[in-house]
Amino acid sequence: MGMEMQCISYYQSPLGRILLSSDDTGLSGLWFEGQRYFARNLDVDAVERETEILKDAKRWLDVYFSGHEPEFSIPLHIQGSPFHKEVSRIMCSIPYGEVMTYGEIAEMIRTLFGVPHMSARAVGGAVGHNEISIIVPCHRVVGSNGNLTGYGGGMERKMKLLELEGVDLSHFYVPRRS
C-alpha cells in the first residue's frame, strides 16, 4: 500500500489559526493551533502546498465563518476504526444550527452495530478525537442535561461556533472543571 502524500495549509479564522491537511482522498485534518490532540495523525513529511481540496476547505470556512451554512461539501478522509468512522458519519448528519447528545449518538451506534450496550463515554472518546474540526461538527455534540462538556478546541470556541450557527445557548451550561 503506497502511502498518500499529505499536504498542509493554514487558515486564519476569527477563532484562531487553523491547520488543514489533505491527501488524495480528501481533507484529513482541521485543527485549531494548540488544541488537544493537535495534528495527531499528520505525517512528519507533510508538505505545505495548496491543493484543490485545501482551497475548497478554505472556501467552505469562509462561508461558514461569515455566518452561513456552506451549500457544498468537501471530500473527507476520515481515518480510524469502523466505530470511529460511524461516529464521524453521525456527526456529519447533525444539521447546521442543531445539537445532538452523546447518548443519542450512542443509541444510534448501539442499534447500528446490534450490540446490547454502548456507552456515551465511548462515544465521547471518539468525538473528542475528531481530526476534522468544524466540518465534522463535533461542536454540535452536547451532554444530555444541557452540559456543553468538553471540546478539543476549548469551550470558548465551542460556544462561539454554536452561537455562529444560531444555537440558543441559554439552555446550556459549562461545567465548572472542563
Side-chain angles (χ1 to χ4, degrees):
M1 264 264 321
M3 277 302 289
E4 302 182 65
M5 187 175 72
Q6 286 189 324
C7 295
I8 59 167
S9 189
Y10 293 91
Y11 177 85
Q12 193 56 57
S13 91
L15 302 182
R17 197 157 91 132
I18 285 172
L19 170 64
L20 297 151
S21 72
S22 76
D23 55 25
D24 302 336
T25 308
L27 191 71
S28 54
L30 191 165
W31 305 271
F32 284 105
E33 284 199 336
Q35 75 163 63
R36 264 206 322 251
Y37 311 121
F38 178 74
R40 198 171 49 112
N41 67 358
L42 192 61
D43 291 348
V44 285
D45 53 2
V47 183
E48 191 162 348
R49 178 182 302 153
E50 283 293 339
T51 64
E52 283 310 307
I53 290 168
L54 292 173
K55 280 187 200 139
D56 286 347
K58 290 179 179 186
R59 207 160 51 89
W60 193 100
L61 289 169
D62 283 342
V63 174
Y64 181 83
F65 281 115
S66 74
H68 300 282
E69 178 180 8
E71 296 292 317
F72 61 97
S73 57
I74 291 145
L76 302 177
H77 187 183
I78 293 163
Q79 291 150 51
S81 67
F83 169 72
H84 187 98
K85 287 181 176 160
E86 206 45 56
V87 170
S88 296
R89 195 189 61 73
I90 292 170
M91 285 194 282
C92 287
S93 76
I94 307 171
Y96 180 92
E98 293 181 31
V99 295
M100 190 180 272
T101 67
Y102 293 97
E104 286 170 324
I105 295 178
E107 189 48 39
M108 288 167 86
I109 296 270
R110 191 190 69 69
T111 308
L112 193 82
F113 286 107
V115 291
H117 179 74
M118 172 54 63
S119 80
R121 184 171 288 262
V123 167
V127 172
H129 284 81
N130 175 28
E131 298 285 346
I132 309 173
S133 298
I134 308 177
I135 295 178
V136 176
C138 53
H139 60 277
R140 294 182 194 148
V141 185
V142 298
S144 53
N145 51 0
N147 181 342
L148 281 174
T149 73
Y151 177 62
M155 286 307 296
E156 193 61 32
R157 284 200 188 108
K158 179 169 184 163
M159 292 168 79
K160 288 242 166 51
L161 293 170
L162 291 172
E163 269 168 8
L164 186 67
E165 295 184 20
V167 175
D168 176 7
L169 291 181
S170 61
H171 315 303
F172 296 101
Y173 70 91
V174 175
R176 289 225 187 289
R177 40 165 216 88
S178 89

